[in-house]
Amino acid sequence: MRHQPVLLVIAHGSRDPRHAGAVHALVRRVRSMRPGLRVETGFLDFNIPSVQGVLESLAAEGVREVVALPLLLTRAFHAKADIPAVLRDAPRRLRIRQAEVLGPSPLLLSALERRLYEAGLTPADKSSTGVVLASAGSTDPEAIAVIADIAREWWHTGWCAVRPAFASASLPRTEDAVRELRELGCSTVAVAPYVLAPGFLPDRIARGAAGADVLAEVLGPSPEVARVLLERYDAARTPMLAAVGA
């Protein structure tokens, strides 16, 4: 029976140890949801193992096929430039397909909503609650447009209002969006971090949420995020298998 490609989850990395901890917890959940699938983790910076190191180890073991999955919510610089550059330097014996980034996805909206409910909101609060969709931010116009689209889509599910905000590179900041929702007349203001792991920028989001009533946790190792990882893996591996008649 043909072996399925190895799933290599590529995370950005951070000096904050909470970042790697959340990444590893997410990978453990993915493994638990797909027994028998080999899942490895590599970091672009700050943490080990590096992406290049993992790829070299896999090649040395005799692995031939890898699905490289960017642990990113939007297609910004890392997905378009950094990760492809690292993959181009991989050992030649490896056949690698880069999967799509995680967002947007209805599952991620479900995860955001569940985090808000875990923070104290209920479904009955939706119509009176304004939500700040707070992301890390980017200089990439495509990534910024995606966040704005997600905010509009989420608003149509019944919230009083949903406003995008950014921790860096773009405006508005979280505190500005909180203020806008107050002025709009929403009875409750909640901040939903659209980030995968704790770190410097999520901490900035949290500081900006000081004037809000509710601050949700980051997405972290939630089951919805793990399901999106597996969806992206399956979509990327299908053409690989079809190419060899599997």
Side-chain angles (χ1 to χ4, degrees):
M1 180 178 176
R2 180 177 175 79
H3 292 293
Q4 54 190 337
V6 171
L7 169 56
L8 172 58
V9 176
I10 300 179
H12 181 272
S14 171
R15 292 187 178 90
D16 189 322
R18 296 174 298 166
H19 173 88
V23 171
H24 290 310
L26 176 58
V27 168
R28 286 194 296 272
R29 185 179 286 275
V30 171
R31 289 182 181 130
S32 71
M33 294 172 67
R34 185 72 62 86
L37 172 63
R38 181 172 178 180
V39 188
E40 300 291 342
T41 308
F43 295 90
L44 291 173
D45 206 354
F46 301 116
N47 302 104
I48 55 173
S50 67
V51 176
Q52 187 65 29
V54 174
L55 291 171
E56 290 173 357
S57 295
L58 291 173
E61 289 180 33
V63 170
R64 293 293 182 269
E65 296 178 340
V66 175
V67 170
L69 195 156
L71 197 61
L72 301 168
L73 294 171
T74 59
R75 270 183 49 78
F77 182 78
H78 293 304
K80 294 177 179 178
D82 284 351
I83 292 175
V86 173
L87 297 181
R88 282 195 296 271
D89 290 336
R92 289 182 175 273
R93 67 194 305 173
L94 290 175
R95 185 163 171 259
I96 305 173
R97 185 174 180 88
Q98 182 175 329
E100 292 295 328
V101 298
L102 303 184
S105 167
L107 285 169
L108 296 178
L109 280 181
S110 297
L112 285 166
E113 200 149 308
R114 186 166 59 80
R115 287 296 192 225
L116 285 173
Y117 295 151
E118 290 170 351
L121 293 178
T122 71
D125 298 320
K126 288 188 74 168
S127 63
S128 60
T129 299
V131 179
V132 178
L133 179 68
S135 75
S138 174
T139 57
D140 188 307
E142 178 187 350
I144 297 305
V146 166
I147 300 300
D149 287 344
I150 293 170
R152 282 191 292 270
E153 179 182 350
W154 204 14
W155 170 57
H156 287 303
T157 67
W159 297 100
C160 172
V162 179
R163 294 290 185 270
F166 307 95
S168 67
S170 308
L171 295 174
R173 294 286 185 258
T174 302
E175 53 268 33
D176 299 326
V178 168
R179 190 179 308 111
E180 180 185 350
L181 291 172
R182 290 283 187 213
E183 294 171 353
L184 191 64
C186 298
S187 299
T188 302
V189 175
V191 174
Y194 190 57
V195 292
L196 290 167
F200 175 76
L201 293 179
D203 285 349
R204 181 179 287 178
I205 290 171
R207 291 192 296 272
D213 302 296
V214 174
L215 171 63
E217 292 292 330
V218 300
L219 294 172
S222 62
E224 296 91 346
V225 176
R227 284 175 59 194
V228 177
L229 261 73
L230 289 171
E231 285 185 356
R232 299 293 185 258
Y233 169 79
D234 289 336
R237 73 185 283 263
T238 299
M240 296 178 74
L241 298 180
V244 292

